[in-house]
């Protein structure tokens, strides 16, 4: 069995030993995790059209249909571009950042680990991560709570890929599910235990989150991965 106090204690030790490295990588990871949502939101905003409803319906039907098809086409292209960007750039970088946190336990974390996925089948890693995000999103549509549960079920996938870049999608999903079986609620409570730090971060205009909370929490997650991996071996 594991307890969050031990994980957080180990994370604090690793944070002290790798401070500058994990702060910078944590900042990059925070950007990457938010990039998919932000880029999609930006694409939606860039395709907003100021339409006068009166003028719209006073035109001919063919023009209206053509305009709507054009708008739909632009949105579809923007979404497709966002998917490609996630698969081939954001997701591989996210796995590389996770590898830095994982390797802190071994004492051999390097800056170049951020680019790890690009040297180890980045297209495959990006696709597996995309499927993880897609499945989580689809489950979230079912009143949010199933999406949260699935998010924790798939939590170990980026860490598994960080150490096993050739792992198939089926194996990555199955192994993460097995590792998190019976541990999802405890992992949720682990995340909740950082809420005080995030409140302090909000008060300090995110400075505390950048310099402490984010790398601290990411190292705790990496420690959880190591603990569950060793329990299942």
């Amino acid at each position: 069995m594991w307890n969050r106090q031990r994980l957080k204690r180990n994370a604090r030790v690793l944070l002290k030993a790798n401070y500058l490295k994990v702060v910078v990588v944590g900042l990059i990871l925070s950007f990457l995790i938010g990039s998919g949502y932000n880029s999609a939101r930006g694409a939606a905003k860039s395709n907003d059209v100021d339409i006068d409803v009166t003028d719209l319906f006073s035109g001919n039907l063919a023009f209206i249909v053509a305009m709507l098809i054009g708008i739909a086409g632009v949105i579809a292209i923007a979404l497709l571009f966002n998917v490609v960007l996630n698969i081939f750039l954001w997701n591989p970088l996210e796995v590389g950042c996770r590898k830095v946190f994982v390797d802190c336990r071994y004492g051999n974390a390097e800056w170049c680990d951020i680019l790890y996925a690009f040297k180890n089948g980045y297209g495959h890693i990006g696709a597996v991560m995309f499927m993880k995000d897609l499945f989580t999103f689809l489950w979230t549509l079912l009143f949010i709570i199933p999406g949260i549960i699935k998010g924790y079920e798939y939590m170990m996938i980026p860490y598994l890929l960080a150490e096993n870049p050739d792992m198939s999608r089926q194996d990555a999903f199955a192994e993460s599910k097995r590792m998190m079986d019976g541990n999802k609620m405890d992992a949720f409570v682990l995340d909740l235990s950082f809420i005080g730090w995030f409140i302090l971060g909000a008060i300090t205009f995110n400075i505390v989150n950048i310099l402490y909370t984010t790398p601290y929490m990411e190292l705790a997650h990496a420690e959880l991965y190591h603990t569950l991996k060793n329990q299942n071996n």
Side-chain angles (χ1 to χ4, degrees):
M1 292 296 294
W2 60 274
N3 63 75
R4 64 181 182 277
Q5 290 81 8
R6 184 181 297 113
L7 295 185
K8 295 175 75 172
R9 183 171 62 249
N10 293 344
R12 288 193 295 271
V13 172
L14 294 175
L15 176 61
K16 183 177 180 179
N18 303 273
Y19 184 73
L20 179 60
K21 193 176 301 177
V22 296
V23 165
V24 174
V25 174
L27 181 60
I28 295 173
L29 185 58
S30 296
F31 167 77
L32 294 174
I33 291 174
S35 65
Y37 167 71
N38 289 329
S39 59
R41 183 177 60 178
K45 285 186 175 180
S46 67
N47 289 290
D48 284 348
V49 180
D50 185 12
I51 299 174
D52 188 316
V53 176
T54 303
D55 292 341
L56 179 64
F57 285 97
S58 64
N60 61 69
L61 181 60
F63 172 77
I64 295 173
V65 172
M67 185 176 64
L68 292 177
I69 291 175
I71 293 173
V74 171
I75 294 175
I77 292 172
L79 291 175
L80 179 61
F81 176 75
N82 185 52
V83 169
V84 172
L85 199 62
N86 273 282
I87 292 176
F88 292 103
L89 184 59
W90 302 141
N91 288 341
L93 283 173
E94 180 183 340
V95 171
C97 289
R98 303 286 187 189
K99 182 169 177 59
V100 174
F101 290 109
V102 168
D103 286 351
C104 283
R105 163 69 80 91
Y106 306 130
N108 61 351
E110 300 290 343
W111 291 103
C112 60
D113 285 341
I114 296 174
L115 303 176
Y116 170 80
F118 293 97
K119 305 173 185 177
N120 296 274
Y122 73 100
H124 169 70
I125 289 176
V128 174
M129 289 290 291
F130 172 74
M131 295 305 295
K132 164 189 160 307
D133 294 338
L134 177 62
F135 289 163
T136 302
F137 170 73
L138 293 177
W139 279 101
T140 302
L141 296 178
L142 300 175
F143 302 106
I144 300 177
I145 293 178
I148 296 175
I149 295 173
K150 285 296 179 179
Y152 280 98
E153 182 176 303
Y154 303 150
M155 183 178 179
M156 294 295 118
I157 291 177
Y159 301 97
L160 291 166
L161 293 174
E163 292 200 305
N164 307 279
D166 297 325
M167 180 176 284
S168 69
R169 177 182 65 81
Q170 293 82 357
D171 289 344
F173 274 73
E175 182 63 13
S176 180
K177 181 179 180 180
R178 187 171 71 91
M179 292 172 72
M180 294 302 295
D181 185 31
N183 292 296
K184 290 187 283 293
M185 179 56 70
D186 290 334
F188 177 69
V189 174
L190 172 64
D191 287 346
L192 282 182
S193 69
F194 288 94
I195 192 168
W197 285 109
F198 280 110
I199 293 174
L200 182 59
I203 295 173
T204 59
F205 302 99
N206 217 35
I207 294 175
V208 169
N209 289 340
I210 293 173
L211 297 180
Y212 189 78
T213 311
T214 297
Y216 179 22
M217 186 175 183
E218 291 299 334
L219 283 168
H221 286 168
E223 283 298 294
L224 176 59
Y225 165 72
H226 285 298
T227 300
L228 297 180
K229 181 181 68 172
N230 292 332
Q231 282 183 355
N232 283 295
N233 285 338

